[in-house]
Amino acid sequence: MSKDIVVFHSQSIFGQTERLMKRIAPIVVLIAVAAIGTGMTLFANAAANRAAQSQFDLITSEATDRLDRRVSQQIMVLRSVAAHLETTGEPLSRATFSRFINALGVVESFKGIRGIGFALLIESDREAEVAGLISSYYGGARAVWPIATDQSYRTPIALVEPLDGRNSAALGYDMYSESARRVAMQLAMANGMAAATAPVRLVQEITEEKQNGFLVYMPVRLKTSPPLVNAKQKQVSGFIFSPFRAGDLHDAAWASQNLPAVFQTVDLDSGGVILDQSPDFASASVKGRFKADREINVAGRKWRIHFASTPAFAGANWQVGTLLLGIVSFLFAAALATSTRAQLQSVETANRLAALSNQASEDKDMMLQEMKHRIKNSIARVLAIARQTAAGSKSLDDFTASFFSRLQSMSAAQELLTRSHWEKANLRELLNGELHQVLGECWDQKRLSGEDIELNARATQALGLTFHELATNALKYGDQKGIGTGLNVTWRFETLDADEVLKLEWIEPGSSHKAGDKTGFGSKLIAMNIERELNGKLEHITDQRGLTIRITLPKQALL
């Protein structure tokens, strides 16, 4: 017995495992192939990312070089002007200065700068003389400004070209009075080289459109200096300088490049003060997928340029290829999973057909057995009816009339049940019809007690067969003196373990049928219908009073 249980459990576990594999196999295939595709997509994405970053690095490097070259070219121009002023024997004048600057074509060739100027280095008590010199150059009343200074020296702008409205406003301005400019000039004097200022606001910014800027100074020693210059500073007569508007400088450097990026240029030597940036840099830099930082040296100062890509960056096309690879990988995984599922379904369908064929064969055998059993029961009923009729008949004619009347009633009830195809029935009518068919005139439907319940097709067929067997057993084993006269059937719905169930009691007083008797096909048929078909419970109780059959059925199996 234990061996059979082990075999049964092994088969059950194997069946559950097989069903589980059928369900999860397509999922496993989908996940596995999708994982491989995802890995390939991620690898391709990483490779495309690196390639795009390299492309972005090249673009930003070229942009940085353009900016660096433009500033370097202007510094070279300052050196050329300084060298010219130091070597020429001509006295310093507006005419000679303007002629040389215009010959260089500074304004036309070097966009982004405000021009080139010359500032005298003087002692702080010589302002009036310088104002007179500037007035002689440009006419009108000129003054050195700001008026007061706490420095020993001043560097008023004496010459500037081109003389437009912005530059004209700068004439006479003492650049030595402002700390950022003063530091750059001191550095230029100390090194004898060009020196740039930290970001400043140019005095030429007299319109509403203002930009940050910076200046580059080149120290100059004139051979023929004005008599008011260099009372104490014999090595430096003044400074050639260029004022740069940062926004114009960046636009000029990158105008032909169509830069697919936003930028921010900061001066590292002043703690990261912003010199210039794209209008939408704050938000666009967060969205930019690719970034790069570049540094350049501008006349002794370190600038750092932060770049962030925009949607215009051509390298962003990497997304198309990666996306296509991901889509193809997913579609391939889905197709393979679908194919696997279709194959498994084909195998399962073949197995189901085989199981249905076996079930049909078993059903056929069951129907044959049931037919044989019903024929046997029908013969037993006829014999029982004949025996009962004979026992209560006084003559042959009386027996004949009564016997044929019972047979006709039995035939009519059987025809009624057969005509309904056992598809759906009222529980009371189903019981009463079967009992009346089997027990005939001995049966009184008043001994049925319970609420009206409409049974579904499955319950109707199962309970119809069950009631048929129970009625036949009542006829075979009941009290010979009054078959069926004491039979009572009651039913009601109850709540059992939070579930609603139907409890039906079939009580046969004086029955000779015992629960421990050897069971035949009829008993097996009852158990199969109640326990297997309707998932119910069947109890046989026998005592000195007779037989009680209790049937418990879940409500959901009946309605």
Side-chain angles (χ1 to χ4, degrees):
M1 184 65 179
S2 60
K3 182 179 179 181
D4 293 337
I5 294 175
V6 171
V7 172
F8 173 77
H9 281 294
S10 299
Q11 292 176 345
S12 176
I13 293 173
F14 178 77
Q16 293 177 1
T17 303
E18 184 180 11
R19 288 192 294 272
L20 180 62
M21 288 301 297
K22 289 179 180 178
R23 287 197 299 268
I24 68 173
I27 300 176
V28 171
V29 171
L30 176 62
I31 293 175
V33 178
I36 295 173
T38 301
M40 295 172 58
T41 303
L42 292 175
F43 179 80
N45 178 61
N49 247 333
R50 289 192 295 270
Q53 183 65 56
S54 296
Q55 181 183 355
F56 189 69
D57 289 344
L58 289 174
I59 292 174
T60 54
S61 293
E62 182 182 353
T64 304
D65 290 343
R66 284 173 174 266
L67 184 65
D68 189 29
R69 286 196 303 270
R70 179 164 287 271
V71 176
S72 297
Q73 288 171 357
Q74 182 59 19
I75 293 175
M76 290 177 63
V77 171
L78 291 179
R79 287 173 180 161
S80 298
V81 175
H84 173 74
L85 293 179
E86 288 180 342
T87 58
T88 184
E90 298 183 23
L92 183 65
S93 67
R94 178 189 175 189
T96 57
F97 185 77
S98 176
R99 183 170 61 250
F100 184 71
I101 297 302
N102 290 331
L104 292 176
V106 173
V107 178
E108 295 78 9
S109 303
F110 302 98
K111 294 181 179 179
I113 65 173
R114 284 302 308 149
I116 296 179
F118 177 73
L120 288 168
L121 177 63
I122 64 171
E123 297 176 1
S124 58
D125 57 353
R126 310 293 295 274
E127 294 92 339
E129 297 174 70
V130 174
L133 182 64
I134 298 173
S135 298
S136 67
Y137 288 159
Y138 295 97
R142 302 287 178 174
V144 175
W145 58 282
I147 297 175
T149 181
D150 58 354
Q151 301 297 317
S152 300
Y153 297 96
R154 308 194 79 166
T155 56
I157 299 174
L159 294 168
V160 63
E161 292 293 335
L163 188 65
D164 55 16
R166 291 177 183 268
N167 286 338
S168 178
L171 286 172
Y173 174 62
D174 174 20
M175 294 183 288
Y176 207 79
S177 63
E178 192 273 320
S179 61
R181 293 170 171 82
R182 182 169 61 251
V183 168
M185 286 185 281
Q186 289 173 346
L187 182 63
M189 285 191 293
N191 297 333
M193 299 175 63
T197 69
V200 296
R201 181 59 56 87
L202 301 176
V203 294
Q204 287 92 335
E205 297 292 349
I206 59 176
T207 64
E208 293 183 359
E209 181 195 354
K210 301 183 185 301
Q211 299 179 11
N212 286 336
F214 66 98
L215 299 98
V216 177
Y217 295 100
M218 190 73 192
V220 178
R221 181 179 180 182
L222 300 176
K223 288 183 178 181
T224 55
S225 300
L228 55 90
V229 174
N230 287 339
K232 296 181 179 179
Q233 294 287 340
K234 299 299 183 182
Q235 295 181 351
V236 177
S237 303
F239 299 91
I240 291 293
F241 69 93
S242 280
F244 291 80
R245 298 186 82 207
D248 292 347
L249 175 66
H250 286 82
D251 290 344
W254 298 334
S256 61
Q257 191 176 2
N258 194 20
L259 187 66
V262 292
F263 74 94
Q264 181 186 72
T265 302
V266 299
D267 184 87
L268 296 179
D269 292 330
S270 59
V273 174
I274 298 175
L275 185 65
D276 189 32
Q277 66 179 12
S278 301
D280 55 348
F281 178 79
S283 59
S285 62
V286 176
K287 300 176 183 177
R289 186 173 184 87
F290 302 98
K291 295 178 174 59
D293 288 345
R294 299 287 179 264
E295 290 185 8
I296 58 174
N297 187 296
V298 178
R301 299 195 71 83
K302 288 184 179 180
W303 287 1
R304 177 173 293 167
I305 309 173
H306 304 288
F307 292 99
S309 64
T310 65
F313 175 50
N317 292 333
W318 66 271
Q319 294 177 334
V320 177
T322 304
L323 180 62
L324 288 177
L325 178 59
I327 292 174
V328 170
S329 299
F330 177 78
L331 292 177
F332 178 71
L336 191 57
T338 303
S339 175
T340 302
R341 183 178 180 182
Q343 291 179 1
L344 291 175
Q345 286 180 338
S346 298
V347 173
E348 186 177 358
T349 301
N351 292 336
R352 285 182 180 177
L353 289 175
L356 288 174
S357 178
N358 293 335
Q359 184 65 40
S361 179
E362 292 177 2
D363 290 344
K364 178 181 177 182
D365 292 340
M366 178 64 73
M367 289 178 64
L368 289 174
Q369 292 185 45
E370 184 179 349
M371 185 180 298
K372 289 166 60 179
H373 183 70
R374 281 183 173 273
I375 292 172
K376 181 180 177 181
N377 283 347
S378 296
I379 294 173
R381 284 189 228 169
V382 173
L383 290 176
I385 291 172
R387 185 174 63 251
Q388 296 170 36
T389 304
S393 299
K394 298 179 180 180
S395 64
L396 180 60
D397 290 339
D398 188 20
F399 168 78
T400 302
S402 179
F403 180 68
F404 276 102
S405 176
R406 288 178 176 176
L407 287 182
Q408 185 175 4
S409 175
M410 175 181 173
S411 174
Q414 182 64 41
E415 182 181 358
L416 178 63
L417 291 172
T418 304
R419 191 165 55 243
S420 69
H421 300 292
W422 302 91
E423 289 181 355
K424 194 169 185 181
N426 181 277
L427 177 59
R428 182 185 300 276
E429 293 177 358
L430 185 63
L431 268 166
N432 185 61
E434 189 62 44
L435 289 168
H436 183 72
Q437 178 196 20
V438 175
L439 303 179
E441 296 176 359
C442 296
W443 172 246
D444 183 359
Q445 64 176 347
K446 293 181 180 179
R447 293 199 293 276
L448 297 177
S449 177
E451 56 187 291
D452 286 340
I453 300 175
E454 289 292 327
L455 303 174
N456 59 32
R458 184 177 183 181
T460 298
Q461 295 175 9
L463 290 179
L465 292 173
T466 299
F467 296 154
H468 172 81
E469 295 300 327
L470 293 177
T472 301
N473 288 338
L475 180 64
K476 291 166 63 177
Y477 302 108
D479 187 355
Q480 297 296 319
K481 295 180 180 180
I483 298 175
T485 57
L487 176 64
N488 284 280
V489 184
T490 63
W491 64 90
R492 64 187 178 279
F493 280 116
E494 293 183 0
T495 301
L496 181 63
D497 296 333
D499 295 325
E500 200 166 357
V501 297
L502 176 70
K503 284 199 171 183
L504 185 145
E505 287 192 349
W506 180 289
I507 304 173
E508 295 182 34
S511 174
S512 60
H513 187 267
K514 304 298 181 184
D517 288 350
K518 184 179 180 180
T519 57
F521 176 77
S523 297
K524 292 179 180 179
L525 185 62
I526 292 173
M528 180 184 68
N529 286 322
I530 297 301
E531 296 175 355
R532 193 177 74 179
E533 288 294 319
L534 300 179
N535 196 27
K537 183 179 179 182
L538 181 65
E539 297 178 84
H540 289 77
I541 303 172
T542 57
D543 52 27
Q544 66 275 11
R545 294 176 297 177
L547 172 67
T548 299
I549 299 175
R550 290 177 182 166
I551 299 174
T552 304
L553 299 170
K555 184 177 181 180
Q556 61 266 27
L558 303 175
L559 305 180

